[in-house]
Amino acid sequence: MNTAVPDARGHFGPYGGMFVPETLMAALQELTAEYERVKNDPGFQGELSILLRDFAGRPTPLYLAERLTEKLGRAKIYLKREDLLHTGAHKINNALGQILLARRMGKRRIIAETGAGQHGVATATVAARFGFECVIYMGQVDMERQALNVARMKFLGAKVVPVTAGQATLKEAINEAMRDWVTNVRTTHYILGSALGSHPYPMMVRDFQCIIGLETREQILEREGRLPDLLVACVGGGSNAIGFFHPFLQDQTVRMVGVEAGGEAIQPGKHAARFQGGRLGVLQGTKTFLLANEDGQIELTHSVSAGLDYAAVGPEHSYLRDLGRVEYSYATDQEALAGFKTLSETEGIIPALESAHAIAYLLKTIPAQPRDQIVIANLSGRGDKDVDQAARHLL
């Protein structure tokens, strides 16, 4: 299988590309060229490695979930503990890489979008660390259900701009961030938070997040002496999943499952599972699977998780699905909440509602797995931000 993607124009097979206003092409070409220069630059990679270790807290542990394993009674379950990173999620991996790129390009104003707030917090954190101006765009609906992260961003010195257009969630936040970038492109770098958008972002974000899978591979070989049978991760835009999966793509014995947000039901406006009734289209810079009606209008989305309710999926995920290399499933709101509750009670680990979708998949499928299977779920973030939201449903 061909994992040497994307091509020079940012295509993953028929997906990806650069569908942006002409005013952004120069900035994207500059970013692409700069990223190609630093990919194999020992100085850049060395500084990033030190920051990931000393500032972010890598490597993260690979944790054997003994009580969850016992409860499900079948496969041995490990958790990759990205929730233990500084700021509480995998988002810091990419934010650190991109802030170093921004510094190299002489751009000291940083903008970002955020849904659940974890990418916003990570971006505000690295901007504070380097002394850069920072503006975060966030949908008004998400600001209300993720008030804790809004406060964290403000404490870190970022300006948080509420977005009230449309559904007032992640898609609209990205729209506003792109408008800002068009206006301030010479002084500003846009730290996009997931493996979506125009080239080079899907490639670049994937590469910065591959540390997750590279560590996991080394750790499981050390612990078990062999590769896992199954990897499971939630998929919104898809950065935690692609970073987790990518180092294993050539290993045909390793099955991989991405779990989307099934919301209330697989009906228009009730979910955000792009591979359940989605169609090919272009949204916010990239060609990929998205939720749209027959006229091409983007449908409303819903998820109990603010981080998974985006209408499109990263283009590399669409490509891997076509190849049959990664399977894509979904978990409903109720299943995700059950996963949230179960992991909290059995392991003393409160997961992010995004990550709880991966746990929900385990609860549904592990009882049918052989006993000698080794399964690893990527625990992409911790659940502090979701306690209030989960309490409304569970307490």
Side-chain angles (χ1 to χ4, degrees), residues 19-20 170-176 178 190 192 196-199 282-287 290 298 310-312:
F19 295 87
V20 295
L170 182 58
K171 175 171 65 71
E172 289 77 23
I174 294 174
N175 282 340
E176 290 305 313
M178 290 183 76
Y190 179 11
L192 185 63
L196 42 80
S198 171
H199 182 63
V282 173
L283 180 64
Q284 294 175 326
T286 196
K287 183 190 287 185
L290 49 82
I298 302 303
Y310 185 60

Side-chain angles (χ1 to χ4, degrees), residues 5 46 56 60 65 91 154 188 191 193 243 264 300 325 336 343 345 354:
V5 288
T60 58
K91 296 293 189 181
K154 290 178 178 177
T188 298
I191 299 186
E264 295 171 352
L300 298 179
R325 185 62 190 94
L343 192 65
E345 292 177 351
E354 293 89 335

